[in-house]
Amino acid sequence: MTIPHGDLLYEGKAKRIYAGAEDKQVLVEFKNDATAFNAQKKAQLDDKGRLNCRISACLFEVLEREGIPTHYCGIAAETWMVVQRVEVIPVEVVLRNIATGSLCRETPIAQGTPLEPALLDLYFKDDSLGDPLLTDARLALLGVVSSEMRERIELLARNVNAVLIPFFREIGLQLVDFKLELGINAAGELLVADEISPDTCRLWDLSCLDAEERILDKDRFRKDLGGVIEAYGEVCKRVQGACPTPRNCS
Ligand code: 5GP
């Protein structure tokens, strides 16, 4: 289903962004495209767009209820979300509660090590450079965010983690790690932007001890484990329990 929209403003790997009816809003269409390893691996996964749209909407509403500002306005259709227009900060914030993924490939830290407090890393958002890890010195050299903005970004990201860890635990999921993108709206507010979904979070089923079976996120696609959509569907079913009818914004 396509809904009325303005010009295509941007097409990313998993979403298209269109001009909205109001200047302050844009429309996000969630695609079925799955990509990994900086789009070297690609597939079409039926229903992924709808599931990620619904999961993200619910999680944005959970954050909103806890007073965390996000770009989310509401759902316009199954794969369409209305969000505030923001200036995207070219930094990806990754929070890790348990060591896995690139942290274990790049350091001697053992898989599964609990990280308390969560490890927070900033990456430069640039696909052509492979989203490189930013050191303090590189961040200062690039001048992409001021030190004051960096403090606000880190506080916001840690607050998101503090809300999402217990939320997921309640529905039997462990929030292993996740990536956030942030933006600044017309009023100068810092907001959580982009999406929060099994594409951007690692989620393990707490009731399952098997190291592969418990994976309910994009690692199923990255590692060719199969059952990707079934896993996303399971996350959606559980998350929806907390937010059965996301706000309609059509
Ligand atoms: P890692 O650095 O271990 O590959 O990823 C850490 C976490 O951030 C994982 O939950 C992963 O899904 C997420 N993440 C990091 N970079 C990206 C990215 O460019 N795209 C997406 N979708 N997720 C990312």
Side-chain angles (χ1 to χ4, degrees):
M1 178 189 180
T2 300
I3 64 158
H5 55 74
D7 293 343
L8 178 67
L9 303 174
Y10 173 78
E11 178 156 7
K13 293 187 286 261
K15 296 181 288 297
R16 293 187 192 92
I17 314 289
Y18 295 92
E22 291 177 36
D23 221 29
K24 282 187 184 163
Q25 294 183 337
V26 293
L27 279 158
V28 181
E29 182 190 13
F30 285 72
K31 303 193 288 185
N32 286 336
D33 303 49
T35 64
F37 313 120
N38 206 7
Q40 287 172 52
K41 178 171 179 173
K42 290 184 195 166
Q44 279 286 308
L45 296 176
D46 278 354
D47 213 26
K48 184 175 88 83
R50 183 187 68 84
L51 290 167
N52 278 353
C53 183
R54 174 55 76 97
I55 294 167
S56 282
C58 292
L59 294 174
F60 283 136
E61 292 198 16
V62 167
L63 292 178
E64 189 182 278
R65 277 182 227 155
E66 298 297 328
I68 294 183
T70 81
H71 71 158
Y72 171 79
C73 301
I75 291 285
E78 280 193 330
T79 58
W80 291 82
M81 185 181 282
V82 182
V83 304
Q84 291 186 49
R85 192 188 279 265
V86 295
E87 187 193 321
V88 176
I89 297 174
V91 159
E92 296 187 349
V93 189
V94 172
L95 264 290
R96 298 174 198 271
N97 297 308
I98 297 186
T100 189
S102 68
L103 181 64
C104 296
R105 283 198 308 277
E106 294 166 1
T107 73
I109 297 168
Q111 284 278 350
T113 307
L115 303 166
E116 286 170 30
L119 180 71
L120 187 155
D121 283 320
L122 302 181
Y123 294 80
F124 188 50
K125 184 176 156 53
D126 187 325
D127 283 342
S128 67
L129 299 173
D131 297 340
L133 179 66
L134 287 169
T135 60
D136 286 351
R138 288 182 186 196
L139 196 64
L141 190 65
L142 284 167
V144 281
V145 290
S146 64
S147 54
E148 186 254 333
M149 179 56 77
R150 186 200 175 150
E151 274 177 33
R152 285 172 63 194
I153 290 171
E154 296 201 1
L155 181 64
L156 184 58
R158 288 198 184 276
N159 287 342
V160 170
N161 197 31
V163 170
L164 292 186
I165 290 175
F167 170 77
F168 279 121
R169 195 190 300 121
E170 277 285 301
I171 55 172
L173 297 173
Q174 183 157 39
L175 178 60
V176 175
D177 57 29
F178 61 99
K179 182 247 322 180
L180 287 180
E181 296 191 21
L182 305 170
I184 298 174
N185 69 7
E189 293 166 316
L190 181 67
L191 309 175
V192 179
D194 194 46
E195 66 178 289
I196 308 177
S197 74
D199 268 8
T200 62
C201 304
R202 285 195 173 95
L203 296 165
W204 292 348
D205 188 345
L206 279 165
S207 68
C208 179
L209 293 178
D210 183 88
E212 287 190 350
E213 265 178 51
R214 68 183 175 186
I215 296 172
L216 295 179
D217 57 67
K218 191 162 147 182
D219 272 354
R220 298 207 74 82
F221 175 67
R222 295 187 185 103
K223 298 179 179 191
D224 290 322
L225 298 177
V228 182
I229 284 305
E230 290 77 3
Y232 283 41
E234 180 61 28
V235 172
C236 189
K237 193 175 85 189
R238 296 192 200 184
V239 166
Q240 270 190 106
C243 177
T245 45
R247 194 157 60 233
N248 192 289
C249 214
S250 51

